[in-house]
Amino acid sequence: MTKLSVNINKVATLRNARGGNNPDVEKVALDCEAFGAEGITVHPRPDERHIRYADVYALRPLLKTEFNIEGYPSKEFIDLVLRVKPHQVTLVPDAPDQITSNAGWDTKKNLEFLTELMEVFGHAGVRTSIFIGADLEMAEYAAKAGADRVELYTEPYVSLYPQNPEAAIAPFVETARRVRQLGMGLNAGHDLSLVNLAYFHQQIPWVDEVSIGHALICDALYLGLKTTIEEYKNCLR
């Protein structure tokens, strides 16, 4: 079964908007686990506008499920990952001031850089995942870099899905098959929601993990966190 990793960045954004500790990021993460999530994802950014580095250190000893830290591999980020040693690190090519991830790595152009990182994190016992678009060549060069997994950037699928689900999913199925042939694990994320997740999973049932934050937290405002996590897990059955 595909695992659901809940990205709790938006919870931290709400907390930071007012100061103090409401909502409590640590409690929400533990509640997500209690409600059935198989993982927690955080994406600390240099300006700490949502998840702070201190949150990452605080969460690590508390969590019972898989902990995934994603971000751009700056020196500070690399040091954080090596100290915390999460189960997985997901590398994204975001600029420091970027609002949200909007593209995958050019793994061919950045092969040497990514290969060095795969070795560093691999030696530390941290599973590696590289964020890529639905592109066969990018998957192949991620494998050459030594990645354990890739995470497919799903925004293009989400955008086209309402008009043409078959066309939207086609490049993702093709890339997912190639990823499997290359012997890598497969993750997916970005704008997946209750509207489009079930179809994505039906077409690519061998996805190891989906990481979902913004849509899930928005749904939780209406449905409640427990019911929302249950509904997302239903999409993955």
Side-chain angles (χ1 to χ4, degrees):
M1 181 176 171
T2 301
K3 293 181 178 180
L4 171 65
S5 184
V6 177
N7 186 319
I8 59 171
N9 276 18
K10 286 300 182 293
V11 177
T13 301
L14 184 58
R15 174 200 62 187
N16 296 352
R18 188 69 179 265
N21 194 40
N22 189 25
D24 185 327
V25 170
E26 295 170 29
K27 183 180 185 305
V28 171
L30 294 176
D31 286 341
C32 287
E33 289 186 323
F35 297 152
E38 293 94 357
I40 298 296
T41 291
V42 294
H43 186 155
R45 295 181 184 273
D47 60 5
E48 297 193 321
R49 63 180 179 268
H50 33 63
I51 286 292
R52 301 165 180 157
Y53 275 38
D55 295 324
V56 180
Y57 287 112
L59 285 165
R60 183 63 177 101
L62 301 177
L63 299 177
K64 303 296 189 294
T65 61
E66 286 207 347
F67 193 25
N68 172 46
I69 303 177
E70 63 180 35
Y72 179 80
S74 64
K75 182 183 183 304
E76 293 76 15
F77 180 84
I78 294 170
D79 289 344
L80 174 72
V81 173
L82 294 179
R83 289 180 180 179
V84 173
K85 292 190 177 179
H87 300 90
Q88 177 175 269
V89 59
T90 301
L91 303 183
V92 296
D94 291 0
D97 59 348
Q98 204 158 313
I99 294 175
T100 186
S101 303
N102 61 6
W105 283 95
D106 184 332
T107 51
K108 182 177 182 179
K109 181 179 178 181
N110 294 281
L111 178 60
E112 183 176 355
F113 177 56
L114 291 171
T115 300
E116 292 175 358
L117 291 169
M118 298 305 100
E119 293 175 355
V120 168
F121 293 129
H123 287 156
V126 179
R127 185 173 68 233
T128 54
S129 178
I130 297 177
F131 197 61
I132 65 168
D135 183 291
L136 297 180
E137 187 176 40
M138 295 303 101
E140 289 162 1
Y141 274 88
K144 288 180 181 180
D148 297 311
R149 295 184 182 182
V150 295
E151 178 173 333
L152 296 180
Y153 169 55
T154 49
E155 192 277 333
Y157 159 75
V158 170
S159 294
L160 184 56
Y161 174 82
Q163 290 78 40
N164 192 331
E166 293 82 4
I169 198 65
F172 289 86
V173 173
E174 184 180 26
T175 304
R177 287 173 176 162
R178 184 65 180 132
V179 168
R180 185 166 59 176
Q181 291 169 354
L182 291 164
M184 292 185 292
L186 181 66
N187 298 339
H190 206 283
D191 290 343
L192 293 173
S193 71
L194 292 175
V195 173
N196 52 55
L197 178 58
Y199 182 77
F200 185 91
H201 186 254
Q202 288 163 9
Q203 304 305 309
I204 313 175
W206 63 92
V207 174
D208 291 296
E209 172 190 290
V210 292
S211 175
I212 304 177
H214 184 81
L216 189 150
I217 299 303
C218 289
D219 288 330
L221 293 175
Y222 291 92
L223 303 176
L225 187 59
K226 184 177 187 293
T227 299
T228 298
I229 289 176
E230 291 170 350
E231 290 298 315
Y232 273 86
K233 285 172 63 68
N234 285 338
C235 293
L236 301 173
R237 292 191 170 98

